[in-house]
Amino acid sequence: MRLLEERILKDGTVKHGNVLKVDSFLNHQMDIGLFNEMGKEWKRLFEDVEVNKILTIEASGIGLAAIAAQYFEAPVVFAKKTMTINLDGELYTTRVQSFTHQRVYNVVVAKRFLSPEDHVLIIDDFLANGCAINGLMDLIYQAGATLAGVGIAIEKGFQDGGRELREKGIKLESLAIIKGMDDETGTIEFM
Ligand code: 5GP
């Protein structure tokens, strides 16, 4: 998506360790005009797919998912990160390795918000190694729900997450795919 790529080039900064900082418009301060255009684009890309629920993970995915959900007319469920484990059986739980924080989280969704009738579109800000998305897919499978597809704002195409999802036949639509980036020169190249 041209608009997002241009914004990344204008306001994104490349940090050490293959981290792209986009906190001035995507995951700290949020540009809602841009989010609306992204929501419309995901709606167009998933036009032919049944979607009755959107699933994301706190915190950065929530704003994007909430704006996108208006175009799908579907509720948003966000998986919560927690340090405690499920003892009461009311939660689906999985474990996710965080790319940016280098630690493992328990990630939970209440069982009453995901069911076998659901056709779930996953929305998130970044796709790197795919740990976050794999965790969300695990929650969907535990619930017996159907995975409709995965919508990502920024895919880092030089990491393995995207390739692995596509190889599994999952409908993955990333609005910007980064081919490579360099923290010394600050250059960012798209696919
Ligand atoms: P993955 O689980 O695919 O390895 O990483 C995805 C998650 O890590 C995203 O939800 C995002 O929060 C975070 N992340 C991964 N790469 C980046 C990055 O380059 N910049 C930022 N800001 N977050 C990232």
Side-chain angles (χ1 to χ4, degrees), residues 81-125:
K81 292 173 183 163
T82 165
M83 282 297 154
T84 54
I85 50 164
N86 173 27
L87 297 174
D88 61 11
E90 297 292 309
L91 304 170
Y92 296 116
T93 71
T94 193
R95 287 167 73 76
V96 170
Q97 166 85 44
S98 162
F99 178 82
T100 35
H101 299 118
Q102 305 281 320
R103 64 202 269 198
V104 176
Y105 290 97
N106 293 298
V107 172
V108 307
V109 165
K111 286 187 175 172
R112 66 202 156 97
F113 298 137
L114 274 184
S115 70
E117 294 76 50
D118 286 329
H119 293 257
V120 185
L121 173 64
I122 295 175
I123 296 273
D124 202 7
D125 59 343

mmCIF file of all heavy atoms in Angstrom, residues 81-125:
data_model
loop_
_atom_site.group_PDB
_atom_site.id
_atom_site.type_symbol
_atom_site.label_atom_id
_atom_site.label_comp_id
_atom_site.label_asym_id
_atom_site.label_seq_id
_atom_site.Cartn_x
_atom_site.Cartn_y
_atom_site.Cartn_z
ATOM 1 N N LYS A 81 -1.990 -10.291 27.313
ATOM 2 C CA LYS A 81 -0.722 -10.857 27.771
ATOM 3 C C LYS A 81 -0.745 -10.891 29.290
ATOM 4 O O LYS A 81 -1.104 -9.906 29.925
ATOM 5 C CB LYS A 81 0.445 -9.971 27.320
ATOM 6 C CG LYS A 81 0.656 -9.965 25.821
ATOM 7 C CD LYS A 81 1.700 -8.951 25.434
ATOM 8 C CE LYS A 81 1.862 -8.893 23.928
ATOM 9 N NZ LYS A 81 2.541 -7.688 23.473
ATOM 10 N N THR A 82 -0.363 -12.004 29.854
ATOM 11 C CA THR A 82 -0.402 -12.116 31.308
ATOM 12 C C THR A 82 0.777 -12.940 31.806
ATOM 13 O O THR A 82 1.322 -13.767 31.071
ATOM 14 C CB THR A 82 -1.738 -12.734 31.776
ATOM 15 O OG1 THR A 82 -1.593 -13.136 33.119
ATOM 16 C CG2 THR A 82 -2.139 -13.925 30.959
ATOM 17 N N MET A 83 1.142 -12.707 33.026
ATOM 18 C CA MET A 83 2.243 -13.473 33.608
ATOM 19 C C MET A 83 1.718 -14.681 34.385
ATOM 20 O O MET A 83 2.465 -15.582 34.731
ATOM 21 C CB MET A 83 3.060 -12.578 34.548
ATOM 22 C CG MET A 83 3.993 -11.667 33.798
ATOM 23 S SD MET A 83 5.197 -12.667 32.913
ATOM 24 C CE MET A 83 5.640 -11.620 31.601
ATOM 25 N N THR A 84 0.424 -14.689 34.675
ATOM 26 C CA THR A 84 -0.131 -15.816 35.431
ATOM 27 C C THR A 84 -0.699 -16.860 34.468
ATOM 28 O O THR A 84 -0.994 -16.562 33.315
ATOM 29 C CB THR A 84 -1.266 -15.337 36.367
ATOM 30 O OG1 THR A 84 -2.221 -14.637 35.581
ATOM 31 C CG2 THR A 84 -0.741 -14.439 37.447
ATOM 32 N N ILE A 85 -0.879 -18.080 34.925
ATOM 33 C CA ILE A 85 -1.417 -19.113 34.037
ATOM 34 C C ILE A 85 -2.877 -19.408 34.368
ATOM 35 O O ILE A 85 -3.366 -19.083 35.436
ATOM 36 C CB ILE A 85 -0.578 -20.411 34.061
ATOM 37 C CG1 ILE A 85 -0.353 -20.850 35.513
ATOM 38 C CG2 ILE A 85 0.705 -20.244 33.311
ATOM 39 C CD1 ILE A 85 0.102 -22.275 35.632
ATOM 40 N N ASN A 86 -3.526 -20.039 33.411
ATOM 41 C CA ASN A 86 -4.957 -20.316 33.517
ATOM 42 C C ASN A 86 -5.230 -21.462 34.487
ATOM 43 O O ASN A 86 -4.808 -22.575 34.271
ATOM 44 C CB ASN A 86 -5.448 -20.675 32.113
ATOM 45 C CG ASN A 86 -6.869 -21.153 32.102
ATOM 46 O OD1 ASN A 86 -7.654 -20.796 32.959
ATOM 47 N ND2 ASN A 86 -7.193 -21.956 31.116
ATOM 48 N N LEU A 87 -5.975 -21.184 35.525
ATOM 49 C CA LEU A 87 -6.319 -22.245 36.469
ATOM 50 C C LEU A 87 -7.805 -22.569 36.454
ATOM 51 O O LEU A 87 -8.215 -23.625 36.875
ATOM 52 C CB LEU A 87 -5.907 -21.826 37.895
ATOM 53 C CG LEU A 87 -4.410 -21.621 38.120
ATOM 54 C CD1 LEU A 87 -4.161 -21.077 39.519
ATOM 55 C CD2 LEU A 87 -3.638 -22.917 37.919
ATOM 56 N N ASP A 88 -8.605 -21.644 35.950
ATOM 57 C CA ASP A 88 -10.051 -21.831 36.097
ATOM 58 C C ASP A 88 -10.742 -22.434 34.870
ATOM 59 O O ASP A 88 -11.939 -22.674 34.896
ATOM 60 C CB ASP A 88 -10.724 -20.499 36.470
ATOM 61 C CG ASP A 88 -10.513 -19.433 35.412
ATOM 62 O OD1 ASP A 88 -10.037 -19.781 34.311
ATOM 63 O OD2 ASP A 88 -10.827 -18.271 35.693
ATOM 64 N N GLY A 89 -10.001 -22.694 33.785
ATOM 65 C CA GLY A 89 -10.609 -23.335 32.619
ATOM 66 C C GLY A 89 -11.500 -22.436 31.793
ATOM 67 O O GLY A 89 -12.106 -22.878 30.825
ATOM 68 N N GLU A 90 -11.568 -21.163 32.123
ATOM 69 C CA GLU A 90 -12.423 -20.233 31.389
ATOM 70 C C GLU A 90 -11.693 -19.562 30.227
ATOM 71 O O GLU A 90 -12.271 -18.779 29.503
ATOM 72 C CB GLU A 90 -12.919 -19.124 32.327
ATOM 73 C CG GLU A 90 -13.782 -19.606 33.476
ATOM 74 C CD GLU A 90 -15.121 -20.133 32.983
ATOM 75 O OE1 GLU A 90 -15.776 -19.413 32.215
ATOM 76 O OE2 GLU A 90 -15.479 -21.266 33.349
ATOM 77 N N LEU A 91 -10.416 -19.858 30.113
ATOM 78 C CA LEU A 91 -9.577 -19.150 29.130
ATOM 79 C C LEU A 91 -8.908 -20.119 28.173
ATOM 80 O O LEU A 91 -8.503 -21.210 28.574
ATOM 81 C CB LEU A 91 -8.469 -18.363 29.850
ATOM 82 C CG LEU A 91 -8.866 -17.357 30.918
ATOM 83 C CD1 LEU A 91 -7.621 -16.877 31.656
ATOM 84 C CD2 LEU A 91 -9.589 -16.172 30.288
ATOM 85 N N TYR A 92 -8.769 -19.684 26.906
ATOM 86 C CA TYR A 92 -7.816 -20.343 26.012
ATOM 87 C C TYR A 92 -6.477 -19.675 26.252
ATOM 88 O O TYR A 92 -6.416 -18.440 26.334
ATOM 89 C CB TYR A 92 -8.211 -20.163 24.549
ATOM 90 C CG TYR A 92 -9.517 -20.817 24.194
ATOM 91 C CD1 TYR A 92 -10.610 -20.058 23.790
ATOM 92 C CD2 TYR A 92 -9.657 -22.195 24.252
ATOM 93 C CE1 TYR A 92 -11.814 -20.651 23.466
ATOM 94 C CE2 TYR A 92 -10.863 -22.800 23.927
ATOM 95 C CZ TYR A 92 -11.927 -22.017 23.535
ATOM 96 O OH TYR A 92 -13.114 -22.612 23.226
ATOM 97 N N THR A 93 -5.418 -20.463 26.383
ATOM 98 C CA THR A 93 -4.102 -19.862 26.645
ATOM 99 C C THR A 93 -3.063 -20.422 25.684
ATOM 100 O O THR A 93 -3.149 -21.573 25.234
ATOM 101 C CB THR A 93 -3.609 -20.155 28.084
ATOM 102 O OG1 THR A 93 -3.272 -21.534 28.171
ATOM 103 C CG2 THR A 93 -4.638 -19.827 29.123
ATOM 104 N N THR A 94 -2.103 -19.585 25.379
ATOM 105 C CA THR A 94 -0.961 -20.042 24.586
ATOM 106 C C THR A 94 0.250 -19.233 25.020
ATOM 107 O O THR A 94 0.117 -18.302 25.816
ATOM 108 C CB THR A 94 -1.265 -19.911 23.068
ATOM 109 O OG1 THR A 94 -0.293 -20.635 22.327
ATOM 110 C CG2 THR A 94 -1.268 -18.458 22.620
ATOM 111 N N ARG A 95 1.419 -19.593 24.494
ATOM 112 C CA ARG A 95 2.628 -18.862 24.891
ATOM 113 C C ARG A 95 3.253 -18.209 23.670
ATOM 114 O O ARG A 95 3.298 -18.810 22.604
ATOM 115 C CB ARG A 95 3.628 -19.827 25.553
ATOM 116 C CG ARG A 95 3.179 -20.228 26.943
ATOM 117 C CD ARG A 95 3.964 -21.399 27.484
ATOM 118 N NE ARG A 95 5.322 -21.054 27.880
ATOM 119 C CZ ARG A 95 5.619 -20.397 28.998
ATOM 120 N NH1 ARG A 95 4.666 -20.006 29.810
ATOM 121 N NH2 ARG A 95 6.868 -20.130 29.298
ATOM 122 N N VAL A 96 3.683 -16.964 23.831
ATOM 123 C CA VAL A 96 4.244 -16.204 22.711
ATOM 124 C C VAL A 96 5.583 -15.605 23.119
ATOM 125 O O VAL A 96 5.691 -14.962 24.156
ATOM 126 C CB VAL A 96 3.274 -15.065 22.282
ATOM 127 C CG1 VAL A 96 3.947 -14.116 21.298
ATOM 128 C CG2 VAL A 96 2.001 -15.641 21.672
ATOM 129 N N GLN A 97 6.567 -15.823 22.264
ATOM 130 C CA GLN A 97 7.884 -15.197 22.464
ATOM 131 C C GLN A 97 7.821 -13.794 21.862
ATOM 132 O O GLN A 97 7.485 -13.626 20.694
ATOM 133 C CB GLN A 97 8.934 -16.047 21.724
ATOM 134 C CG GLN A 97 10.284 -15.399 21.521
ATOM 135 C CD GLN A 97 11.195 -15.570 22.731
ATOM 136 O OE1 GLN A 97 11.279 -16.644 23.302
ATOM 137 N NE2 GLN A 97 11.857 -14.491 23.106
ATOM 138 N N SER A 98 8.110 -12.779 22.672
ATOM 139 C CA SER A 98 8.053 -11.401 22.174
ATOM 140 C C SER A 98 9.329 -11.043 21.433
ATOM 141 O O SER A 98 10.428 -11.235 21.947
ATOM 142 C CB SER A 98 7.863 -10.440 23.341
ATOM 143 O OG SER A 98 8.221 -9.136 22.952
ATOM 144 N N PHE A 99 9.164 -10.529 20.205
ATOM 145 C CA PHE A 99 10.322 -10.132 19.406
ATOM 146 C C PHE A 99 10.998 -8.909 20.010
ATOM 147 O O PHE A 99 12.220 -8.864 20.146
ATOM 148 C CB PHE A 99 9.877 -9.820 17.968
ATOM 149 C CG PHE A 99 11.007 -9.350 17.092
ATOM 150 C CD1 PHE A 99 11.868 -10.261 16.507
ATOM 151 C CD2 PHE A 99 11.220 -7.999 16.874
ATOM 152 C CE1 PHE A 99 12.920 -9.833 15.720
ATOM 153 C CE2 PHE A 99 12.269 -7.564 16.084
ATOM 154 C CZ PHE A 99 13.118 -8.479 15.506
ATOM 155 N N THR A 100 10.210 -7.912 20.388
ATOM 156 C CA THR A 100 10.797 -6.644 20.840
ATOM 157 C C THR A 100 11.248 -6.694 22.302
ATOM 158 O O THR A 100 12.161 -5.997 22.696
ATOM 159 C CB THR A 100 9.816 -5.475 20.626
ATOM 160 O OG1 THR A 100 8.495 -5.922 20.842
ATOM 161 C CG2 THR A 100 9.927 -4.919 19.240
ATOM 162 N N HIS A 101 10.575 -7.521 23.122
ATOM 163 C CA HIS A 101 10.935 -7.524 24.548
ATOM 164 C C HIS A 101 11.733 -8.745 24.984
ATOM 165 O O HIS A 101 12.110 -8.864 26.140
ATOM 166 C CB HIS A 101 9.665 -7.371 25.408
ATOM 167 C CG HIS A 101 8.952 -6.079 25.143
ATOM 168 N ND1 HIS A 101 7.675 -6.009 24.644
ATOM 169 C CD2 HIS A 101 9.380 -4.806 25.273
ATOM 170 C CE1 HIS A 101 7.342 -4.734 24.493
ATOM 171 N NE2 HIS A 101 8.347 -3.993 24.860
ATOM 172 N N GLN A 102 11.955 -9.679 24.045
ATOM 173 C CA GLN A 102 12.818 -10.841 24.331
ATOM 174 C C GLN A 102 12.367 -11.617 25.569
ATOM 175 O O GLN A 102 13.197 -11.983 26.398
ATOM 176 C CB GLN A 102 14.273 -10.379 24.524
ATOM 177 C CG GLN A 102 14.834 -9.580 23.367
ATOM 178 C CD GLN A 102 15.253 -10.473 22.207
ATOM 179 O OE1 GLN A 102 15.813 -11.535 22.395
ATOM 180 N NE2 GLN A 102 14.962 -10.059 20.990
ATOM 181 N N ARG A 103 11.079 -11.819 25.693
ATOM 182 C CA ARG A 103 10.598 -12.653 26.796
ATOM 183 C C ARG A 103 9.363 -13.442 26.340
ATOM 184 O O ARG A 103 8.806 -13.162 25.280
ATOM 185 C CB ARG A 103 10.272 -11.794 28.022
ATOM 186 C CG ARG A 103 9.137 -10.821 27.798
ATOM 187 C CD ARG A 103 9.223 -9.687 28.789
ATOM 188 N NE ARG A 103 8.472 -9.979 29.984
ATOM 189 C CZ ARG A 103 8.088 -9.039 30.847
ATOM 190 N NH1 ARG A 103 8.391 -7.767 30.637
ATOM 191 N NH2 ARG A 103 7.411 -9.344 31.911
ATOM 192 N N VAL A 104 8.938 -14.400 27.146
ATOM 193 C CA VAL A 104 7.792 -15.232 26.776
ATOM 194 C C VAL A 104 6.580 -14.819 27.611
ATOM 195 O O VAL A 104 6.681 -14.677 28.829
ATOM 196 C CB VAL A 104 8.113 -16.734 26.999
ATOM 197 C CG1 VAL A 104 6.903 -17.592 26.705
ATOM 198 C CG2 VAL A 104 9.278 -17.160 26.131
ATOM 199 N N TYR A 105 5.458 -14.614 26.927
ATOM 200 C CA TYR A 105 4.214 -14.250 27.610
ATOM 201 C C TYR A 105 3.216 -15.396 27.521
ATOM 202 O O TYR A 105 3.174 -16.102 26.505
ATOM 203 C CB TYR A 105 3.534 -13.070 26.903
ATOM 204 C CG TYR A 105 4.231 -11.760 27.034
ATOM 205 C CD1 TYR A 105 5.075 -11.313 26.027
ATOM 206 C CD2 TYR A 105 4.012 -10.939 28.137
ATOM 207 C CE1 TYR A 105 5.710 -10.086 26.132
ATOM 208 C CE2 TYR A 105 4.640 -9.713 28.242
ATOM 209 C CZ TYR A 105 5.488 -9.297 27.243
ATOM 210 O OH TYR A 105 6.108 -8.089 27.347
ATOM 211 N N ASN A 106 2.373 -15.515 28.537
ATOM 212 C CA ASN A 106 1.140 -16.275 28.369
ATOM 213 C C ASN A 106 0.148 -15.323 27.716
ATOM 214 O O ASN A 106 0.058 -14.161 28.103
ATOM 215 C CB ASN A 106 0.584 -16.718 29.722
ATOM 216 C CG ASN A 106 1.488 -17.725 30.383
ATOM 217 O OD1 ASN A 106 1.707 -18.805 29.853
ATOM 218 N ND2 ASN A 106 2.029 -17.360 31.531
ATOM 219 N N VAL A 107 -0.572 -15.816 26.728
ATOM 220 C CA VAL A 107 -1.535 -14.982 26.015
ATOM 221 C C VAL A 107 -2.890 -15.673 26.127
ATOM 222 O O VAL A 107 -2.984 -16.886 25.891
ATOM 223 C CB VAL A 107 -1.102 -14.810 24.545
ATOM 224 C CG1 VAL A 107 -2.167 -14.109 23.742
ATOM 225 C CG2 VAL A 107 0.206 -14.037 24.485
ATOM 226 N N VAL A 108 -3.903 -14.929 26.535
ATOM 227 C CA VAL A 108 -5.196 -15.555 26.847
ATOM 228 C C VAL A 108 -6.364 -14.844 26.173
ATOM 229 O O VAL A 108 -6.306 -13.644 25.924
ATOM 230 C CB VAL A 108 -5.446 -15.575 28.384
ATOM 231 C CG1 VAL A 108 -4.275 -16.209 29.118
ATOM 232 C CG2 VAL A 108 -5.713 -14.202 28.942
ATOM 233 N N VAL A 109 -7.402 -15.639 25.897
ATOM 234 C CA VAL A 109 -8.697 -15.101 25.451
ATOM 235 C C VAL A 109 -9.782 -15.858 26.210
ATOM 236 O O VAL A 109 -9.697 -17.092 26.342
ATOM 237 C CB VAL A 109 -8.888 -15.287 23.927
ATOM 238 C CG1 VAL A 109 -10.334 -15.072 23.526
ATOM 239 C CG2 VAL A 109 -8.015 -14.328 23.142
ATOM 240 N N ALA A 110 -10.769 -15.159 26.696
ATOM 241 C CA ALA A 110 -11.893 -15.817 27.378
ATOM 242 C C ALA A 110 -12.630 -16.724 26.389
ATOM 243 O O ALA A 110 -12.902 -16.330 25.249
ATOM 244 C CB ALA A 110 -12.843 -14.766 27.932
ATOM 245 N N LYS A 111 -12.968 -17.937 26.849
ATOM 246 C CA LYS A 111 -13.590 -18.920 25.953
ATOM 247 C C LYS A 111 -14.905 -18.420 25.364
ATOM 248 O O LYS A 111 -15.270 -18.758 24.247
ATOM 249 C CB LYS A 111 -13.825 -20.235 26.707
ATOM 250 C CG LYS A 111 -12.531 -20.987 26.933
ATOM 251 C CD LYS A 111 -12.763 -22.370 27.519
ATOM 252 C CE LYS A 111 -11.430 -23.103 27.603
ATOM 253 N NZ LYS A 111 -11.537 -24.371 28.338
ATOM 254 N N ARG A 112 -15.588 -17.540 26.100
ATOM 255 C CA ARG A 112 -16.894 -17.108 25.584
ATOM 256 C C ARG A 112 -16.788 -16.143 24.419
ATOM 257 O O ARG A 112 -17.789 -15.825 23.778
ATOM 258 C CB ARG A 112 -17.769 -16.541 26.706
ATOM 259 C CG ARG A 112 -17.310 -15.285 27.330
ATOM 260 C CD ARG A 112 -17.940 -15.143 28.719
ATOM 261 N NE ARG A 112 -17.100 -14.291 29.512
ATOM 262 C CZ ARG A 112 -17.310 -12.997 29.677
ATOM 263 N NH1 ARG A 112 -18.367 -12.435 29.149
ATOM 264 N NH2 ARG A 112 -16.484 -12.269 30.366
ATOM 265 N N PHE A 113 -15.566 -15.665 24.110
ATOM 266 C CA PHE A 113 -15.423 -14.732 22.984
ATOM 267 C C PHE A 113 -14.886 -15.369 21.706
ATOM 268 O O PHE A 113 -14.692 -14.685 20.704
ATOM 269 C CB PHE A 113 -14.531 -13.546 23.386
ATOM 270 C CG PHE A 113 -15.113 -12.732 24.512
ATOM 271 C CD1 PHE A 113 -14.308 -12.296 25.555
ATOM 272 C CD2 PHE A 113 -16.463 -12.414 24.541
ATOM 273 C CE1 PHE A 113 -14.836 -11.550 26.597
ATOM 274 C CE2 PHE A 113 -17.005 -11.671 25.579
ATOM 275 C CZ PHE A 113 -16.196 -11.238 26.614
ATOM 276 N N LEU A 114 -14.626 -16.660 21.721
ATOM 277 C CA LEU A 114 -14.213 -17.376 20.498
ATOM 278 C C LEU A 114 -14.944 -18.706 20.476
ATOM 279 O O LEU A 114 -14.862 -19.462 21.453
ATOM 280 C CB LEU A 114 -12.712 -17.660 20.498
ATOM 281 C CG LEU A 114 -11.732 -16.608 19.988
ATOM 282 C CD1 LEU A 114 -10.312 -17.186 20.012
ATOM 283 C CD2 LEU A 114 -12.074 -16.104 18.597
ATOM 284 N N SER A 115 -15.624 -18.994 19.343
ATOM 285 C CA SER A 115 -16.385 -20.241 19.289
ATOM 286 C C SER A 115 -16.303 -20.857 17.888
ATOM 287 O O SER A 115 -15.847 -20.203 16.951
ATOM 288 C CB SER A 115 -17.843 -19.969 19.669
ATOM 289 O OG SER A 115 -18.440 -19.223 18.633
ATOM 290 N N PRO A 116 -16.774 -22.106 17.729
ATOM 291 C CA PRO A 116 -16.673 -22.779 16.428
ATOM 292 C C PRO A 116 -17.433 -22.061 15.305
ATOM 293 O O PRO A 116 -17.138 -22.284 14.127
ATOM 294 C CB PRO A 116 -17.296 -24.159 16.707
ATOM 295 C CG PRO A 116 -17.080 -24.379 18.166
ATOM 296 C CD PRO A 116 -17.218 -23.027 18.802
ATOM 297 N N GLU A 117 -18.375 -21.194 15.637
ATOM 298 C CA GLU A 117 -19.113 -20.454 14.592
ATOM 299 C C GLU A 117 -18.306 -19.288 14.029
ATOM 300 O O GLU A 117 -18.694 -18.685 13.029
ATOM 301 C CB GLU A 117 -20.428 -19.875 15.133
ATOM 302 C CG GLU A 117 -21.488 -20.886 15.542
ATOM 303 C CD GLU A 117 -21.168 -21.530 16.877
ATOM 304 O OE1 GLU A 117 -20.888 -20.781 17.830
ATOM 305 O OE2 GLU A 117 -21.164 -22.777 16.955
ATOM 306 N N ASP A 118 -17.201 -18.943 14.685
ATOM 307 C CA ASP A 118 -16.478 -17.733 14.289
ATOM 308 C C ASP A 118 -15.550 -17.943 13.091
ATOM 309 O O ASP A 118 -14.851 -18.957 12.995
ATOM 310 C CB ASP A 118 -15.659 -17.199 15.476
ATOM 311 C CG ASP A 118 -16.545 -16.544 16.524
ATOM 312 O OD1 ASP A 118 -17.588 -15.975 16.141
ATOM 313 O OD2 ASP A 118 -16.221 -16.621 17.718
ATOM 314 N N HIS A 119 -15.573 -16.939 12.197
ATOM 315 C CA HIS A 119 -14.638 -16.850 11.067
ATOM 316 C C HIS A 119 -13.757 -15.650 11.365
ATOM 317 O O HIS A 119 -14.190 -14.501 11.255
ATOM 318 C CB HIS A 119 -15.391 -16.684 9.748
ATOM 319 C CG HIS A 119 -16.176 -17.905 9.393
ATOM 320 N ND1 HIS A 119 -15.755 -18.799 8.433
ATOM 321 C CD2 HIS A 119 -17.337 -18.402 9.905
ATOM 322 C CE1 HIS A 119 -16.631 -19.787 8.363
ATOM 323 N NE2 HIS A 119 -17.605 -19.575 9.241
ATOM 324 N N VAL A 120 -12.532 -15.930 11.770
ATOM 325 C CA VAL A 120 -11.724 -14.912 12.432
ATOM 326 C C VAL A 120 -10.629 -14.364 11.518
ATOM 327 O O VAL A 120 -9.835 -15.127 10.943
ATOM 328 C CB VAL A 120 -11.057 -15.505 13.702
ATOM 329 C CG1 VAL A 120 -10.317 -14.423 14.471
ATOM 330 C CG2 VAL A 120 -12.096 -16.183 14.597
ATOM 331 N N LEU A 121 -10.606 -13.030 11.420
ATOM 332 C CA LEU A 121 -9.506 -12.345 10.731
ATOM 333 C C LEU A 121 -8.551 -11.815 11.804
ATOM 334 O O LEU A 121 -8.972 -11.094 12.713
ATOM 335 C CB LEU A 121 -10.052 -11.176 9.897
ATOM 336 C CG LEU A 121 -9.005 -10.265 9.244
ATOM 337 C CD1 LEU A 121 -8.178 -11.033 8.217
ATOM 338 C CD2 LEU A 121 -9.675 -9.063 8.590
ATOM 339 N N ILE A 122 -7.293 -12.191 11.708
ATOM 340 C CA ILE A 122 -6.266 -11.678 12.631
ATOM 341 C C ILE A 122 -5.696 -10.391 12.047
ATOM 342 O O ILE A 122 -5.374 -10.334 10.849
ATOM 343 C CB ILE A 122 -5.129 -12.707 12.817
ATOM 344 C CG1 ILE A 122 -5.645 -13.972 13.499
ATOM 345 C CG2 ILE A 122 -3.979 -12.099 13.607
ATOM 346 C CD1 ILE A 122 -4.604 -15.090 13.623
ATOM 347 N N ILE A 123 -5.582 -9.359 12.882
ATOM 348 C CA ILE A 123 -4.954 -8.092 12.467
ATOM 349 C C ILE A 123 -3.832 -7.787 13.466
ATOM 350 O O ILE A 123 -4.032 -7.888 14.676
ATOM 351 C CB ILE A 123 -5.985 -6.934 12.502
ATOM 352 C CG1 ILE A 123 -7.117 -7.143 11.499
ATOM 353 C CG2 ILE A 123 -5.289 -5.571 12.316
ATOM 354 C CD1 ILE A 123 -6.891 -6.634 10.110
ATOM 355 N N ASP A 124 -2.655 -7.389 12.957
ATOM 356 C CA ASP A 124 -1.589 -6.952 13.874
ATOM 357 C C ASP A 124 -0.699 -5.931 13.183
ATOM 358 O O ASP A 124 -0.756 -5.778 11.961
ATOM 359 C CB ASP A 124 -0.784 -8.151 14.384
ATOM 360 C CG ASP A 124 -0.053 -7.855 15.709
ATOM 361 O OD1 ASP A 124 -0.266 -6.770 16.307
ATOM 362 O OD2 ASP A 124 0.727 -8.709 16.152
ATOM 363 N N ASP A 125 0.118 -5.255 13.978
ATOM 364 C CA ASP A 125 0.954 -4.184 13.414
ATOM 365 C C ASP A 125 2.153 -4.721 12.644
ATOM 366 O O ASP A 125 2.432 -4.263 11.545
ATOM 367 C CB ASP A 125 1.389 -3.181 14.514
ATOM 368 C CG ASP A 125 2.193 -3.814 15.651
ATOM 369 O OD1 ASP A 125 2.173 -5.053 15.800
ATOM 370 O OD2 ASP A 125 2.824 -3.057 16.411
#
